[in-house]
Amino acid sequence: NTLKTHSSPIDYLMKRKIIFGELVADFKIGFVDGTFMAKLPPDDAESLQTLKELGLITGTSTGHASQLRNGTDIRETFTGCLMFPVINMEGVITEIYFRNINRGDFKHGYLKRAGSEDRGIFHPRAFIDKEVLFTESIIDALSLMTLGYKNISCSFGANDLSNLARYFTETEKVILCFDNDPAGKKATEKLT
């Protein structure tokens, strides 16, 4: 709902040809505008702790959209970011990818997680097809979907190829659509 009330994330998605509508609704794309903290009850310490452990809020005083809670300056870590949840076949969110649409040092990132915890896979329905296109990022996959391809997933970056093989049980052909840069070329060799 927050995404619908701001023009800058919609403009960003339109530049990437990710049309506001079908893909946004299907993949539950959202926008972090920094107003979430005001919606939490001030005495909900358990929720605050969980949000901090996930990396969704921070106690530092840098950035904007901060709010004083119980004497601590708390802000949403990914304010100004588009949010792309990774949803498994059971409908459970296993990861969230954030893409900063404003200029700054932070370009994109994921939730904090334990080293061995499985992120799941973006768009698991793609693996129903015998041929799967594979990109480095969620936003790259969505950009290809706008061209009519539906059997697309991603590897969460060129350096994170863990736990991918188990998804290819029915796949006969994988088409790698990685960036034409050193990291993309290295990942292509490794995956091949």
Side-chain angles (χ1 to χ4, degrees), residues 6 11 16 34 39 51 55 58 70 76 80 83 85 88 111 113 115-116 140 142 158 163 165 171 176 179 186-188:
H6 295 277
D11 292 345
R16 297 291 302 244
K39 298 171 186 165
L51 292 169
T58 181
N70 300 327
E76 292 180 55
M83 179 194 85
N88 68 16
L111 290 177
R113 58 190 189 94
S116 63
D140 292 341
L142 290 168
N163 298 317
T171 305
L176 299 176
D179 295 346
K186 183 178 180 181
T188 298

mmCIF file of all heavy atoms in Angstrom, residues 6 11 16 34 39 51 55 58 70 76 80 83 85 88 111 113 115-116 140 142 158 163 165 171 176 179 186-188:
data_model
loop_
_atom_site.group_PDB
_atom_site.id
_atom_site.type_symbol
_atom_site.label_atom_id
_atom_site.label_comp_id
_atom_site.label_asym_id
_atom_site.label_seq_id
_atom_site.Cartn_x
_atom_site.Cartn_y
_atom_site.Cartn_z
ATOM 1 N N HIS A 6 3.451 6.782 -3.377
ATOM 2 C CA HIS A 6 4.669 7.527 -3.710
ATOM 3 C C HIS A 6 4.971 7.426 -5.198
ATOM 4 O O HIS A 6 4.921 6.334 -5.773
ATOM 5 C CB HIS A 6 5.867 6.986 -2.918
ATOM 6 C CG HIS A 6 5.744 7.179 -1.442
ATOM 7 N ND1 HIS A 6 6.082 8.352 -0.827
ATOM 8 C CD2 HIS A 6 5.305 6.355 -0.463
ATOM 9 C CE1 HIS A 6 5.875 8.246 0.476
ATOM 10 N NE2 HIS A 6 5.389 7.033 0.721
ATOM 11 N N ASP A 11 7.981 5.512 -10.507
ATOM 12 C CA ASP A 11 8.801 6.008 -11.624
ATOM 13 C C ASP A 11 10.012 5.107 -11.846
ATOM 14 O O ASP A 11 10.362 4.801 -12.987
ATOM 15 C CB ASP A 11 9.262 7.442 -11.364
ATOM 16 C CG ASP A 11 8.120 8.448 -11.391
ATOM 17 O OD1 ASP A 11 7.025 8.114 -11.888
ATOM 18 O OD2 ASP A 11 8.326 9.570 -10.884
ATOM 19 N N ARG A 16 12.496 0.742 -15.358
ATOM 20 C CA ARG A 16 12.969 -0.633 -15.554
ATOM 21 C C ARG A 16 11.953 -1.464 -16.338
ATOM 22 O O ARG A 16 12.114 -2.657 -16.483
ATOM 23 C CB ARG A 16 13.229 -1.302 -14.194
ATOM 24 C CG ARG A 16 14.301 -0.689 -13.323
ATOM 25 C CD ARG A 16 15.702 -0.865 -13.864
ATOM 26 N NE ARG A 16 16.118 -2.217 -14.065
ATOM 27 C CZ ARG A 16 17.100 -2.828 -13.423
ATOM 28 N NH1 ARG A 16 17.769 -2.200 -12.500
ATOM 29 N NH2 ARG A 16 17.426 -4.063 -13.712
ATOM 30 N N GLY A 34 9.558 4.757 5.683
ATOM 31 C CA GLY A 34 9.940 5.196 7.026
ATOM 32 C C GLY A 34 8.791 5.420 7.973
ATOM 33 O O GLY A 34 8.990 5.877 9.098
ATOM 34 N N LYS A 39 3.479 3.006 13.255
ATOM 35 C CA LYS A 39 2.322 2.106 13.297
ATOM 36 C C LYS A 39 2.437 1.040 14.384
ATOM 37 O O LYS A 39 1.475 0.366 14.699
ATOM 38 C CB LYS A 39 2.130 1.452 11.927
ATOM 39 C CG LYS A 39 1.833 2.465 10.840
ATOM 40 C CD LYS A 39 1.868 1.859 9.471
ATOM 41 C CE LYS A 39 1.700 2.978 8.437
ATOM 42 N NZ LYS A 39 2.040 2.586 7.111
ATOM 43 N N LEU A 51 12.439 -7.146 14.811
ATOM 44 C CA LEU A 51 12.766 -6.278 13.674
ATOM 45 C C LEU A 51 14.247 -5.918 13.663
ATOM 46 O O LEU A 51 14.872 -5.861 12.608
ATOM 47 C CB LEU A 51 11.918 -5.009 13.712
ATOM 48 C CG LEU A 51 10.424 -5.210 13.469
ATOM 49 C CD1 LEU A 51 9.648 -3.939 13.782
ATOM 50 C CD2 LEU A 51 10.151 -5.665 12.047
ATOM 51 N N GLY A 55 17.373 -6.979 10.979
ATOM 52 C CA GLY A 55 18.063 -5.876 10.323
ATOM 53 C C GLY A 55 17.109 -4.860 9.724
ATOM 54 O O GLY A 55 17.534 -3.989 8.958
ATOM 55 N N THR A 58 17.262 -0.112 13.076
ATOM 56 C CA THR A 58 18.551 0.086 13.714
ATOM 57 C C THR A 58 18.406 1.140 14.795
ATOM 58 O O THR A 58 17.529 2.001 14.712
ATOM 59 C CB THR A 58 19.633 0.481 12.687
ATOM 60 O OG1 THR A 58 20.862 0.635 13.351
ATOM 61 C CG2 THR A 58 19.292 1.768 11.969
ATOM 62 N N ASN A 70 11.430 4.805 23.756
ATOM 63 C CA ASN A 70 12.023 4.393 25.031
ATOM 64 C C ASN A 70 13.451 4.909 25.182
ATOM 65 O O ASN A 70 14.348 4.199 25.602
ATOM 66 C CB ASN A 70 12.000 2.862 25.163
ATOM 67 C CG ASN A 70 10.592 2.311 25.104
ATOM 68 O OD1 ASN A 70 9.657 2.965 25.559
ATOM 69 N ND2 ASN A 70 10.434 1.134 24.541
ATOM 70 N N GLU A 76 14.054 2.907 10.407
ATOM 71 C CA GLU A 76 13.958 1.784 9.488
ATOM 72 C C GLU A 76 15.205 1.769 8.613
ATOM 73 O O GLU A 76 15.546 2.753 7.970
ATOM 74 C CB GLU A 76 12.707 1.919 8.624
ATOM 75 C CG GLU A 76 11.436 1.749 9.424
ATOM 76 C CD GLU A 76 10.200 1.893 8.564
ATOM 77 O OE1 GLU A 76 10.090 1.163 7.560
ATOM 78 O OE2 GLU A 76 9.369 2.733 8.917
ATOM 79 N N GLY A 80 13.486 4.393 1.903
ATOM 80 C CA GLY A 80 13.816 4.839 0.551
ATOM 81 C C GLY A 80 14.087 3.702 -0.404
ATOM 82 O O GLY A 80 14.547 3.918 -1.521
ATOM 83 N N MET A 83 11.042 -2.887 -1.997
ATOM 84 C CA MET A 83 11.140 -4.139 -1.262
ATOM 85 C C MET A 83 10.568 -5.265 -2.116
ATOM 86 O O MET A 83 9.452 -5.161 -2.621
ATOM 87 C CB MET A 83 10.342 -4.002 0.028
ATOM 88 C CG MET A 83 10.330 -5.217 0.891
ATOM 89 S SD MET A 83 9.056 -5.076 2.141
ATOM 90 C CE MET A 83 7.666 -5.667 1.194
ATOM 91 N N PRO A 85 9.870 -9.207 -1.736
ATOM 92 C CA PRO A 85 9.896 -10.423 -0.924
ATOM 93 C C PRO A 85 10.110 -11.671 -1.775
ATOM 94 O O PRO A 85 9.664 -11.734 -2.920
ATOM 95 C CB PRO A 85 8.516 -10.450 -0.264
ATOM 96 C CG PRO A 85 7.651 -9.608 -1.123
ATOM 97 C CD PRO A 85 8.543 -8.621 -1.828
ATOM 98 N N ASN A 88 8.109 -18.572 -1.023
ATOM 99 C CA ASN A 88 8.226 -19.961 -1.479
ATOM 100 C C ASN A 88 6.869 -20.511 -1.930
ATOM 101 O O ASN A 88 5.857 -19.815 -1.878
ATOM 102 C CB ASN A 88 8.887 -20.847 -0.417
ATOM 103 C CG ASN A 88 8.035 -21.052 0.819
ATOM 104 O OD1 ASN A 88 6.825 -20.806 0.843
ATOM 105 N ND2 ASN A 88 8.671 -21.497 1.880
ATOM 106 N N LEU A 111 17.881 -9.145 4.005
ATOM 107 C CA LEU A 111 17.712 -9.288 5.449
ATOM 108 C C LEU A 111 18.956 -9.924 6.055
ATOM 109 O O LEU A 111 19.640 -10.708 5.393
ATOM 110 C CB LEU A 111 16.517 -10.195 5.760
ATOM 111 C CG LEU A 111 15.129 -9.664 5.475
ATOM 112 C CD1 LEU A 111 14.100 -10.751 5.794
ATOM 113 C CD2 LEU A 111 14.838 -8.428 6.286
ATOM 114 N N ARG A 113 20.639 -12.731 8.168
ATOM 115 C CA ARG A 113 20.238 -14.124 8.373
ATOM 116 C C ARG A 113 21.434 -14.922 8.833
ATOM 117 O O ARG A 113 22.578 -14.531 8.614
ATOM 118 C CB ARG A 113 19.635 -14.722 7.115
ATOM 119 C CG ARG A 113 20.558 -14.673 5.944
ATOM 120 C CD ARG A 113 19.848 -15.044 4.657
ATOM 121 N NE ARG A 113 20.859 -15.169 3.636
ATOM 122 C CZ ARG A 113 21.443 -16.299 3.291
ATOM 123 N NH1 ARG A 113 21.093 -17.423 3.847
ATOM 124 N NH2 ARG A 113 22.379 -16.327 2.385
ATOM 125 N N GLY A 115 24.216 -17.775 8.732
ATOM 126 C CA GLY A 115 25.015 -18.212 7.600
ATOM 127 C C GLY A 115 24.476 -19.415 6.862
ATOM 128 O O GLY A 115 24.558 -19.494 5.646
ATOM 129 N N SER A 116 23.900 -20.378 7.557
ATOM 130 C CA SER A 116 23.437 -21.597 6.894
ATOM 131 C C SER A 116 21.958 -21.559 6.544
ATOM 132 O O SER A 116 21.441 -22.482 5.936
ATOM 133 C CB SER A 116 23.712 -22.803 7.796
ATOM 134 O OG SER A 116 22.971 -22.655 8.991
ATOM 135 N N ASP A 140 16.585 -7.855 -12.017
ATOM 136 C CA ASP A 140 16.919 -8.295 -13.378
ATOM 137 C C ASP A 140 15.901 -9.314 -13.875
ATOM 138 O O ASP A 140 15.476 -9.276 -15.032
ATOM 139 C CB ASP A 140 18.324 -8.917 -13.428
ATOM 140 C CG ASP A 140 19.433 -7.911 -13.195
ATOM 141 O OD1 ASP A 140 19.191 -6.699 -13.350
ATOM 142 O OD2 ASP A 140 20.554 -8.345 -12.851
ATOM 143 N N LEU A 142 12.752 -9.643 -12.912
ATOM 144 C CA LEU A 142 11.494 -8.945 -13.182
ATOM 145 C C LEU A 142 11.572 -8.163 -14.488
ATOM 146 O O LEU A 142 10.594 -8.095 -15.238
ATOM 147 C CB LEU A 142 11.138 -8.020 -12.019
ATOM 148 C CG LEU A 142 10.714 -8.727 -10.729
ATOM 149 C CD1 LEU A 142 10.663 -7.744 -9.579
ATOM 150 C CD2 LEU A 142 9.378 -9.422 -10.904
ATOM 151 N N ALA A 158 25.884 -12.504 -7.948
ATOM 152 C CA ALA A 158 26.833 -13.394 -8.616
ATOM 153 C C ALA A 158 27.632 -14.237 -7.635
ATOM 154 O O ALA A 158 28.130 -15.296 -7.982
ATOM 155 C CB ALA A 158 27.783 -12.577 -9.487
ATOM 156 N N ASN A 163 22.974 -23.518 -2.454
ATOM 157 C CA ASN A 163 21.664 -24.180 -2.418
ATOM 158 C C ASN A 163 20.855 -24.078 -3.709
ATOM 159 O O ASN A 163 19.635 -24.163 -3.673
ATOM 160 C CB ASN A 163 20.815 -23.628 -1.254
ATOM 161 C CG ASN A 163 21.447 -23.895 0.081
ATOM 162 O OD1 ASN A 163 21.949 -24.984 0.324
ATOM 163 N ND2 ASN A 163 21.432 -22.910 0.946
ATOM 164 N N ALA A 165 21.412 -25.995 -6.711
ATOM 165 C CA ALA A 165 21.304 -27.249 -7.472
ATOM 166 C C ALA A 165 20.025 -28.012 -7.152
ATOM 167 O O ALA A 165 19.418 -28.615 -8.043
ATOM 168 C CB ALA A 165 22.526 -28.122 -7.208
ATOM 169 N N THR A 171 14.578 -29.545 -14.292
ATOM 170 C CA THR A 171 15.060 -28.627 -15.324
ATOM 171 C C THR A 171 16.001 -29.337 -16.284
ATOM 172 O O THR A 171 16.921 -30.033 -15.869
ATOM 173 C CB THR A 171 15.798 -27.437 -14.658
ATOM 174 O OG1 THR A 171 14.931 -26.845 -13.711
ATOM 175 C CG2 THR A 171 16.219 -26.411 -15.687
ATOM 176 N N LEU A 176 21.743 -18.839 -18.515
ATOM 177 C CA LEU A 176 22.269 -17.849 -17.583
ATOM 178 C C LEU A 176 22.238 -16.465 -18.221
ATOM 179 O O LEU A 176 22.743 -16.275 -19.328
ATOM 180 C CB LEU A 176 23.690 -18.214 -17.170
ATOM 181 C CG LEU A 176 23.831 -19.561 -16.462
ATOM 182 C CD1 LEU A 176 25.291 -19.866 -16.181
ATOM 183 C CD2 LEU A 176 23.016 -19.590 -15.183
ATOM 184 N N ASP A 179 25.229 -10.536 -15.562
ATOM 185 C CA ASP A 179 25.865 -9.316 -16.037
ATOM 186 C C ASP A 179 27.160 -9.645 -16.769
ATOM 187 O O ASP A 179 27.861 -10.598 -16.410
ATOM 188 C CB ASP A 179 26.168 -8.375 -14.864
ATOM 189 C CG ASP A 179 24.906 -7.872 -14.174
ATOM 190 O OD1 ASP A 179 23.812 -8.024 -14.749
ATOM 191 O OD2 ASP A 179 25.026 -7.330 -13.064
ATOM 192 N N LYS A 186 32.492 -14.865 -13.789
ATOM 193 C CA LYS A 186 32.990 -15.871 -12.833
ATOM 194 C C LYS A 186 31.836 -16.765 -12.357
ATOM 195 O O LYS A 186 31.977 -17.981 -12.281
ATOM 196 C CB LYS A 186 33.661 -15.187 -11.647
ATOM 197 C CG LYS A 186 34.270 -16.137 -10.655
ATOM 198 C CD LYS A 186 34.965 -15.383 -9.542
ATOM 199 C CE LYS A 186 35.575 -16.354 -8.531
ATOM 200 N NZ LYS A 186 36.236 -15.657 -7.440
ATOM 201 N N ALA A 187 30.692 -16.155 -12.060
ATOM 202 C CA ALA A 187 29.532 -16.933 -11.617
ATOM 203 C C ALA A 187 29.026 -17.852 -12.720
ATOM 204 O O ALA A 187 28.637 -18.993 -12.452
ATOM 205 C CB ALA A 187 28.419 -15.994 -11.170
ATOM 206 N N THR A 188 29.070 -17.382 -13.957
ATOM 207 C CA THR A 188 28.646 -18.209 -15.083
ATOM 208 C C THR A 188 29.530 -19.452 -15.199
ATOM 209 O O THR A 188 29.020 -20.570 -15.356
ATOM 210 C CB THR A 188 28.709 -17.401 -16.400
ATOM 211 O OG1 THR A 188 27.798 -16.299 -16.283
ATOM 212 C CG2 THR A 188 28.314 -18.254 -17.582
#
